[in-house]
Amino acid sequence: VAFNQVSFSARLSGIYIDYFKEGDSKVFTSYIISPVNFENVWTHGYYTGSLASAKKLKDLAQEQNSTDLEGISLILLAHEYSNLTNLFGDIPYTESLFEVENTTPVYDRQEEIYAAIINILDEAILLLESSSLNADISETDLLFNGDMMRWRKFAFGLKARTLLNLRNQQNDVDQDILQALDQSFASANEQAVYFFGEDRPNPLYTFNLERPSTYFLSGTFMQRLLNKDDPRFSRYTSGPTSDPSLYEWGDSANLTWSRKDSEIPLLSYAEILFMKAEILHHQNASIEVIEEALQEAVRENMELNRLNALGEEVSEYITSHLSLTNLSSDQRYTIILEEAYISYYGFNFIQSWNNKRRTNIPELVTEDIPSSMFNPSGIIPVRFLYPTSEYDYNLVNLQEGLDAQDGGLADRSIWVFE
């Protein structure tokens, strides 16, 4: 799960929302993609990776009558199914995790998958409310050291994120989102953070180590930071301000997100606060209340980036850029989403892309994008393509899925973000 958070699917999402540019190779920056590019994500990252492992955990937990471990397995399943459907749209769900002889699962519609994810999280919350742990997992629980209350808060936070992503299709969810947020993390001490290290190095670190100078931080993204004199600049890049083409993203131990031992949140307290600020805005809360949530979100993100949230640099940033008074409703909304965009760099690429597709914020300026077989409109892709193996081994069901999604090409929006 942690690997998927910052490996290929995350890096490509980062390209699609202008966090990264490529060096000599321009394949992904030019959005020249094909089904073969997505094989490892689909097969090894999710279906035979995190999802298969979470399903195995669920089976073992049920055998041992451990409601705690079953609740954990459901949370991990919900997290990964959510990412997978947000990347690809309709996906195999009801027939996806059976035994190996089922190599031709049907495709479920995304609206059904979203309903299932919410049900899975609700079931996990109930299981953890009345749990009966029959084994000490304090040393093997890599997120919360056996603290089931924090797992339950994690589930509430993921439910809020799921409902927020669903907001374009279901506009009566704001109060449910707030209620879920109120029962999620109440401080950074509770957030879901995975610690990479020597035995499990951060994929952002290993990618740059094995393929140096493949990616650079986008000059336009960095310009956003420079224009605001953002103190996170020194945590995101070690590149010179004089040459945007040399903004390195993984060559320094001083950088927050590309160290071997970086701490990667699966769900941060800062994201909880950004979601809260957005929903308070939609509910027409007072400017002071919205502003308080937004400013706390940014402070928490500064802390994640090893900056003193009460330091002079951070205070100056908040004073200069996070006041919402005397602004229109649209201007306030844009500030909230753009601050989340800047803050999610390094650990929350997929959700940042989700926000962009859901709200069309931030506005991205791109060069002419060539039309191609899989991107006829020549736009920044809005979905991943189904992998080659589905064309080779599951074509009948895949074709039904493609037909239901206007061909499933990279320029066709997925249902949830329409």
Side-chain angles (χ1 to χ4, degrees):
V1 172
F3 185 88
N4 288 339
Q5 188 84 0
V6 287
S7 57
F8 176 80
S9 56
R11 293 194 306 271
L12 188 56
S13 298
I15 287 176
Y16 289 170
I17 50 176
D18 201 36
Y19 285 140
F20 298 127
K21 295 294 184 186
E22 291 174 289
D24 293 335
S25 170
K26 302 294 184 183
V27 174
F28 295 121
T29 300
S30 299
Y31 313 113
I32 303 171
I33 52 175
S34 69
V36 70
N37 296 123
F38 300 96
E39 189 62 54
N40 284 336
V41 173
W42 178 274
T43 303
H44 303 298
Y46 287 95
Y47 279 117
T48 66
S50 60
L51 288 172
S53 296
K55 175 62 163 55
K56 183 64 173 178
L57 176 60
K58 179 185 177 184
D59 293 342
L60 291 171
Q62 289 176 335
E63 288 177 13
Q64 299 175 12
N65 196 29
S66 172
T67 54
D68 271 334
L69 293 177
E70 184 177 358
I72 290 173
S73 71
L74 292 175
I75 292 169
L76 297 176
L77 283 167
H79 186 281
E80 295 300 88
Y81 271 124
S82 179
N83 277 348
L84 193 62
T85 191
N86 288 333
L87 295 171
F88 289 95
D90 295 359
I91 57 173
Y93 172 73
T94 53
E95 297 182 2
S96 64
L97 294 179
F98 290 86
E99 298 302 320
V100 292
E101 62 264 21
N102 183 18
T103 59
T104 57
V106 299
Y107 278 66
D108 297 273
R109 300 303 301 270
Q110 190 173 52
E111 48 264 53
E112 298 167 351
I113 296 165
Y114 255 79
I117 290 168
I118 293 169
N119 288 336
I120 288 172
L121 290 169
D122 284 340
E123 183 181 354
I125 289 166
L126 287 175
L127 285 171
L128 295 180
E129 190 175 37
S130 57
S131 58
S132 57
L133 187 67
N134 59 7
D136 180 11
I137 63 169
S138 59
E139 294 185 5
T140 54
D141 177 359
L142 302 180
L143 280 186
F144 299 125
N145 302 115
D147 187 337
M148 293 302 123
M149 183 58 68
R150 289 172 67 191
W151 273 106
R152 192 164 180 268
K153 290 186 175 187
F154 186 24
F156 274 115
L158 292 179
K159 182 176 180 179
R161 179 197 279 175
T162 304
L163 292 171
L164 182 64
N165 287 338
L166 190 60
R167 197 173 181 276
N168 285 7
Q169 295 292 350
Q170 190 172 331
N171 57 14
D172 59 348
V173 296
D174 288 352
Q175 194 57 39
D176 291 337
I177 294 172
L178 272 186
Q179 289 176 356
L181 291 173
D182 287 341
Q183 296 179 84
S184 187
F185 305 136
S187 74
N189 293 329
E190 296 178 335
Q191 62 193 348
V193 177
Y194 181 83
F195 293 82
F196 285 104
E198 289 292 332
D199 57 337
R200 301 182 185 93
N202 175 9
L204 292 178
Y205 166 84
T206 55
F207 178 87
N208 188 71
L209 185 70
E210 295 166 359
R211 283 159 281 186
S213 299
T214 299
Y215 286 173
F216 295 87
L217 288 194
S218 164
T220 52
F221 175 61
M222 287 295 95
Q223 197 60 49
R224 290 175 186 269
L225 303 181
L226 293 172
N227 290 344
K228 293 184 174 184
D229 199 20
D230 194 315
R232 288 168 290 194
F233 181 90
S234 64
R235 299 298 190 263
Y236 287 179
T237 180
S238 57
T241 59
S242 59
D243 188 350
S245 68
L246 297 178
Y247 287 137
E248 295 282 358
W249 64 281
D251 72 335
S252 172
N254 294 324
L255 304 185
T256 302
W257 304 111
S258 52
R259 303 188 322 272
K260 180 186 292 188
D261 61 347
S262 290
E263 304 165 9
I264 302 294
L266 304 185
L267 180 64
S268 68
Y269 180 49
E271 184 180 348
I272 298 296
L273 293 167
F274 276 117
M275 289 192 284
K276 185 175 182 180
E278 180 178 350
I279 296 305
L280 289 171
H281 169 82
H282 291 312
Q283 292 192 325
N284 296 315
S286 70
I287 292 175
E288 292 77 16
V289 170
I290 302 169
E291 195 172 80
E292 180 182 5
L294 174 62
Q295 292 182 0
E296 187 178 357
V298 172
R299 285 195 186 93
E300 289 296 334
N301 185 257
M302 296 287 186
E303 287 282 2
L304 279 176
N305 283 281
R306 299 180 296 159
L307 294 163
N308 180 0
L310 299 178
E312 184 176 341
E313 279 187 312
V314 174
S315 297
E316 176 63 27
Y317 182 87
I318 289 171
T319 300
S320 301
H321 302 292
L322 300 185
S323 173
L324 302 180
T325 57
N326 300 319
L327 299 177
S328 69
S329 177
D330 287 347
Q331 288 172 325
R332 292 195 294 270
Y333 189 47
T334 298
I335 287 176
I336 293 168
L337 268 296
E338 287 188 342
E339 287 297 329
Y341 168 69
I342 291 173
S343 296
Y344 289 175
Y345 169 79
F347 68 96
N348 210 10
F349 300 104
I350 295 174
Q351 185 57 28
S352 192
W353 189 33
N354 294 344
N355 282 349
K356 166 62 179 174
R357 292 179 289 171
R358 177 174 61 87
T359 69
N360 205 30
I361 299 172
E363 183 178 349
L364 301 180
V365 179
T366 61
E367 301 175 358
D368 291 338
I369 301 171
S371 175
S372 64
M373 177 188 302
F374 298 105
N375 185 10
S377 303
I379 66 171
I380 298 174
V382 292
R383 68 186 303 152
F384 282 7
L385 299 173
Y386 295 109
T388 305
S389 61
E390 288 297 286
Y391 286 88
D392 291 342
Y393 304 114
N394 194 21
L395 182 58
V396 172
N397 291 317
L398 170 62
Q399 191 61 56
E400 289 185 3
L402 294 175
D403 292 343
Q405 300 173 89
D406 193 25
L409 298 172
D411 58 356
R412 307 296 199 267
S413 295
I414 62 175
W415 169 81
V416 73
F417 300 131
E418 289 177 348

